[in-house]
């Protein structure tokens, strides 16, 4: 039995972190083993607030050690990580990735380096962003940063399409084999823009901006998980990127039509298998 190890935040109500990543990967045919870095009642943008806490690094290690005792590490095809609750989580992630690769050298690591967004600034604990840049992102096969996080990784601003392309190349020179820049807000004001680069070329995916009274949370988590699941299903890198763009748009459209701001991953689950709309990629 092959599976994906997903290590990120979790919410009891709604869909963010593992709460929006696990089911899409399952719906796309994968066994998913999740470890939660934090457990919150709901995502942090609800005006009523939230309850819960980050788990200690030892907690993550203990859960992983339990998996290791089941002799399943060689069955992990992919590792997906997202929000980390503290700097000590970064060290645990590095240890886990190295140990899984020891049992399965073909395992791919997909890193969503959650640091923040331009309009929110840094939203993680002190020290996390620095360790993501110096220790975690360089060992990933695939990084899935937004524009802010990509800029932090290369240490340079990104304001144009050309700079975004250069940033992807500079990021790959640091270790990752692929970069999926999941939100390039400076490239276009009229469309939601993503870029994929793999050293052989780069591709641009654009889809309409959908108006929401309150912007949904967890879209980045969804993008990472759907891309990982598609690629591990045997789609080519570019096919997985295109499928990801189409599927995530379908979920957002269903969310908008229902007047919700929690991602409608259950109601729109068929989008993960067969997206209803298709947006052509642009080769750069």
């Amino acid at each position: 039995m092959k599976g994906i190890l997903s290590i990120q935040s979790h919410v009891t109500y709604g869909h963010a972190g593992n709460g929006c990543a696990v089911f899409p990967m399952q719906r796309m045919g994968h066994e998913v083993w999740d470890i939660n870095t934090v457990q919150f009642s709901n995502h942090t943008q609800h005006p009523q607030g939230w309850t819960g806490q980050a788990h200690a690094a030892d907690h993550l290690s203990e859960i992983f050690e339990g998996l290791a005792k089941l002799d399943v590490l060689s069955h992990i095809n992919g590792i997906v990580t997202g929000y980390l609750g503290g700097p000590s989580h970064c060290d645990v992630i590095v240890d886990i990735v190295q140990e899984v690769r020891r049992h399965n050298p073909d395992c791919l690591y997909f890193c969503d380096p959650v640091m923040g967004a331009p309009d929110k600034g840094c939203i993680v604990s002190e020290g996390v962003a620095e360790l993501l840049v110096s220790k975690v992102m360089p060992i990933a096969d695939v990084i899935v940063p937004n524009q802010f996080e990509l800029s932090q990784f290369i240490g340079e601003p990104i304001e144009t399409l050309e700079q975004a392309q250069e940033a992807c190349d500079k990021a790959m020179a640091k270790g990752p084999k692929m970069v999926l820049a999941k939100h390039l807000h400076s490239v276009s004001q009229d469309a939601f823009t993503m870029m994929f680069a793999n050293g052989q070329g780069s591709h641009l995916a654009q889809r309409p901006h959908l108006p929401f009274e309150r912007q949904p949370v967890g879209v980045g988590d969804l993008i990472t998980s759907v891309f990982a699941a598609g690629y591990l299903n045997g789609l080519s890198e570019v096919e997985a990127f295109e499928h990801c763009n189409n599927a995530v748009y379908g979920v957002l459209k269903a969310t908008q039509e229902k007047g919700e701001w929690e991602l409608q991953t259950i109601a729109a689950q068929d989008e993960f298998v067969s997206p209803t709309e298709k947006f052509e990629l642009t080769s750069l």
Side-chain angles (χ1 to χ4, degrees):
M1 181 184 296
K2 299 294 184 178
I4 297 174
L5 179 63
S6 183
I7 309 173
Q8 50 191 309
S9 62
H10 181 69
V11 292
T12 298
Y13 176 85
H15 301 283
N18 270 332
C20 81
V22 171
F23 175 70
M25 293 190 288
Q26 291 173 328
R27 184 67 177 82
M28 293 175 69
H30 297 278
E31 287 287 344
V32 184
W33 306 318
D34 53 303
I35 299 177
N36 300 325
T37 57
V38 308
Q39 174 84 39
F40 290 162
S41 57
N42 49 274
H43 70 64
T44 60
Q45 301 304 303
H46 280 276
Q48 300 93 331
W50 76 95
T51 58
Q53 60 186 1
H55 294 306
D58 288 346
H59 173 80
L60 277 62
S61 297
E62 288 173 3
I63 300 298
F64 179 73
E65 289 168 7
L67 287 177
K69 291 178 181 178
L70 298 175
D71 294 325
V72 299
L73 299 191
S74 62
H75 300 312
I76 298 175
N77 279 348
I79 299 172
V80 175
T81 64
Y83 182 89
L84 303 179
S88 57
H89 286 184
C90 295
D91 295 323
V92 172
I93 294 300
V94 172
D95 291 342
I96 287 176
V97 171
Q98 292 174 340
E99 183 64 10
V100 172
R101 283 176 171 165
R102 190 173 71 83
H103 287 79
N104 179 11
D106 295 326
C107 177
L108 296 176
Y109 173 30
F110 303 81
C111 174
D112 179 355
V114 180
M115 301 177 198
D119 58 336
K120 299 176 184 176
C122 188
I123 60 170
V124 294
S125 300
E126 184 177 355
V128 170
E130 292 80 1
L131 287 174
L132 282 170
V133 167
S134 64
K135 297 184 66 174
V136 180
M137 296 173 74
I139 69 168
D141 295 287
V142 185
I143 57 171
V144 192
N146 60 27
Q147 181 174 310
F148 172 76
E149 293 153 353
L150 180 57
S151 178
Q152 292 294 109
F153 187 43
I154 66 167
E156 297 177 14
I158 300 170
E159 297 177 353
T160 66
L161 179 62
E162 291 73 20
Q163 288 176 338
Q165 286 184 272
E166 292 173 1
C168 289
D169 290 338
K170 291 177 180 179
M172 287 185 287
K174 290 176 172 285
K177 302 176 184 68
M178 293 174 255
V179 178
L180 196 173
K182 62 190 175 187
H183 186 193
L184 295 172
H185 65 273
S186 291
V187 171
S188 173
Q189 300 297 317
D190 300 323
F192 186 95
T193 302
M194 300 196 298
M195 180 180 291
F196 177 78
N198 60 3
Q200 301 169 7
S202 54
H203 301 269
L204 207 64
Q206 294 187 304
R207 51 180 169 81
H209 272 301
L210 294 173
F212 288 90
E213 183 177 345
R214 294 184 292 183
Q215 284 297 315
V217 172
V219 178
D221 308 324
L222 190 61
I223 290 170
T224 305
S225 63
V226 173
F227 175 80
Y231 186 54
L232 292 173
N233 269 341
L235 295 178
S236 72
E237 298 166 5
V238 176
E239 288 171 341
F241 178 54
E242 183 177 40
H243 173 269
C244 167
N245 186 52
N246 295 335
V248 171
Y249 176 77
V251 173
L252 284 166
K253 187 174 181 180
T255 303
Q256 182 205 47
E257 289 174 347
K258 288 181 173 291
E260 299 285 348
W261 74 313
E262 289 285 359
L263 291 171
Q264 297 297 294
T265 56
I266 307 302
Q269 61 182 276
D270 290 344
E271 296 289 337
F272 303 127
V273 178
S274 182
T276 54
E277 298 197 43
K278 182 176 182 179
F279 303 97
E280 298 291 339
L281 301 182
T282 301
S283 296
L284 302 174

